Amino acid sequence: MKASDITFREVYHNICFISASKNYQRVTQYFPKHEKGNGVLAYGYVDHQAGLTYEILTCAKLTDNGHISYGRDSTISIKYRSGSVKDCDLFIVKDCEGFKFRHLDKIAAIKSGYKYSDEVEITRGLSVLDGCRNSEFPDDILVMLLHGSRRPEGCWVRCEGIKNGQLVGMLLTEPDADFGVHVGDMISFTVVDRNESYMCIAEV
């Protein structure tokens, strides 16, 4: 399956095999035995600013019998942003607890270093937002701005937390119409069910 067809929820805090991209040799040249691999084993997480990201753990070779990994170097940190591997094949690695244990230090550093906040972590768990998420930037939500008789307008908003029962985020795109809010402003929004299709709206 192509990486572009995989949702962030499937790879979030999971290990996956990503087939070699066009720049595989350049990206992986400092990993042990990189020349033997036809892809990498990587750990999926979300960078609040940079979006869905894969931390490369090792170079690997996918075979008919599974995968072979080629050692590790915990001092090397190289990442794929999701957009750079969208055309690569991606497979979630099952039953990899032993492999996770060998990379425990790097995985623990990612979990602590890229945990933005408890509240944002909660919003990532809200599957009702998934239809409104940017596929490459899961914390960015398409929100319909409403104001009086003005025509509703969709803008991207980056989730920053929850306040008084509403989601709160920073406006990332400037509205075409005058809604009284601008890029960088914090706005509150809610999720509404429209015939079993969820939509995010903000009355500004």
Side-chain angles (χ1 to χ4, degrees), residues 70-164:
Y70 294 109
R72 69 189 183 98
D73 188 332
S74 60
T75 66
I76 299 173
S77 179
I78 298 177
K79 311 172 191 303
Y80 279 136
R81 302 302 184 191
S82 61
S84 68
V85 294
K86 62 183 179 181
D87 295 323
C88 296
D89 292 324
L90 186 151
F91 307 96
I92 308 299
V93 177
K94 306 295 185 182
D95 303 320
C96 59
E97 291 308 311
F99 185 82
K100 281 185 177 180
F101 182 78
R102 293 197 297 274
H103 296 270
L104 201 59
D105 51 349
K106 184 173 282 190
I107 291 173
I110 292 169
K111 284 185 175 180
S112 63
Y114 289 93
K115 182 179 179 180
Y116 187 73
S117 71
D118 289 337
E119 288 188 349
V120 167
E121 200 65 38
I122 290 172
T123 68
R124 291 174 184 170
L126 298 176
S127 59
V128 294
L129 294 176
D130 288 355
C132 304
R133 294 184 191 274
N134 184 308
S135 60
E136 295 183 13
F137 295 82
D139 290 338
D140 296 356
I141 308 298
L142 184 62
V143 177
M144 300 301 296
L145 304 185
L146 307 178
H147 183 81
S149 61
R150 287 188 176 85
R151 185 185 184 90
E153 185 176 335
C155 290
W156 289 105
V157 174
R158 180 161 293 159
C159 277
E160 295 292 342
I162 302 171
K163 184 177 181 180
N164 298 325

Side-chain angles (χ1 to χ4, degrees), residues 25-102:
Q25 293 294 338
R26 179 179 60 80
V27 170
T28 64
Q29 61 181 308
Y30 299 109
F31 282 94
K33 300 181 180 180
H34 70 96
E35 70 282 354
K36 293 186 176 182
N38 58 10
V40 300
L41 291 173
Y43 183 77
Y45 67 98
V46 176
D47 181 315
H48 190 59
Q49 305 296 329
L52 182 58
T53 304
Y54 300 96
E55 177 74 29
I56 298 175
L57 303 176
T58 71
C59 293
K61 185 174 183 178
L62 187 66
T63 70
D64 293 338
N65 297 319
H67 67 269
I68 302 170
S69 60
Y70 294 109
R72 69 189 183 98
D73 188 332
S74 60
T75 66
I76 299 173
S77 179
I78 298 177
K79 311 172 191 303
Y80 279 136
R81 302 302 184 191
S82 61
S84 68
V85 294
K86 62 183 179 181
D87 295 323
C88 296
D89 292 324
L90 186 151
F91 307 96
I92 308 299
V93 177
K94 306 295 185 182
D95 303 320
C96 59
E97 291 308 311
F99 185 82
K100 281 185 177 180
F101 182 78
R102 293 197 297 274

